[in-house]
């Protein structure tokens, strides 16, 4: 079986958008990716970058750090949108989702480099 497992045309992003500060088009939840519609190669790449981040952090680390970064950014920016876009995991994924060869070139824990670049983000 190839991971992550992708589910297109799912209601999961619709339901999660009701409690999220952003409109969710696709979301990576560990081994699973859910998308509202059909995913472009770039969206699949973006979500697979997140899958690699989940693996690096043994799943539980991602579950702890992702919301922690979001809360810290929310306090910093007072904006749910800005807080989301400045999460290091999102910054790595957005910066590299157009490069469809990125996953072959990516070094482990590449998201850590985005901790140092937070002041450049917004």
């Amino acid at each position: 079986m190839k991971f992550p497992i992708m589910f297109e045309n799912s209601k999961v992003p619709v339901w999660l958008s009701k409690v999220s500060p952003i409109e969710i088009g696709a979301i990576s939840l560990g081994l699973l990716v859910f998308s509202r519609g059909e995913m472009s190669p770039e969206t699949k790449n973006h979500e697979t970058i997140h899958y690699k981040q989940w693996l690096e952090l043994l799943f539980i680390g991602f579950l702890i750090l992702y919301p922690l970064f979001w809360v810290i950014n929310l306090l910093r920016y007072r904006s749910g949108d800005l807080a989301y876009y400045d999460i290091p995991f999102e910054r790595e994924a957005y910066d590299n989702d157009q490069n469809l060869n990125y996953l072959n070139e990516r070094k482990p824990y590449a998201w850590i480099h985005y901790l140092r670049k937070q002041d450049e983000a917004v």
Side-chain angles (χ1 to χ4, degrees):
M1 180 170 279
K2 186 179 176 210
F3 292 104
I5 301 168
M6 301 203 181
F7 297 94
E8 296 178 307
N9 302 308
S10 170
K11 294 291 183 199
V12 172
V14 176
W15 299 329
L16 292 176
S17 289
K18 295 181 187 306
V19 295
S20 172
I22 62 159
E23 190 74 16
I24 298 172
I27 187 167
S28 173
L29 299 173
L31 303 173
L32 310 174
V33 172
F34 299 94
S35 174
R36 284 178 184 253
E38 292 186 26
M39 287 185 271
S40 68
E42 293 79 12
T43 299
K44 288 179 181 179
N45 197 40
H46 181 105
E47 297 305 329
T48 304
I49 292 168
H50 286 318
Y51 166 70
K52 294 291 187 179
Q53 296 163 344
W54 278 91
L55 285 177
E56 290 168 346
L57 295 167
L58 304 175
F59 297 93
I60 192 70
F62 192 91
L63 281 173
I64 293 167
L65 288 176
Y66 194 100
L68 180 63
F69 286 132
W70 186 80
V71 169
I72 290 168
N73 288 341
L74 185 62
L75 294 171
R76 182 178 185 194
Y77 299 120
R78 305 275 190 241
S79 164
D81 282 357
L82 292 177
Y84 163 77
Y85 287 109
D86 202 27
I87 294 170
F89 303 122
E90 293 300 342
R91 299 206 41 235
E92 179 193 5
Y94 279 111
D95 278 0
N96 296 289
D97 58 12
Q98 301 292 313
N99 177 359
L100 299 182
N101 198 41
Y102 179 69
L103 289 163
N104 296 322
E105 304 164 351
R106 182 182 184 270
K107 293 193 175 14
Y109 301 94
W111 61 270
I112 291 173
H113 299 289
Y114 290 87
L115 288 170
R116 288 183 244 138
K117 296 181 178 182
Q118 281 194 316
D119 292 332
E120 303 167 15
V122 183

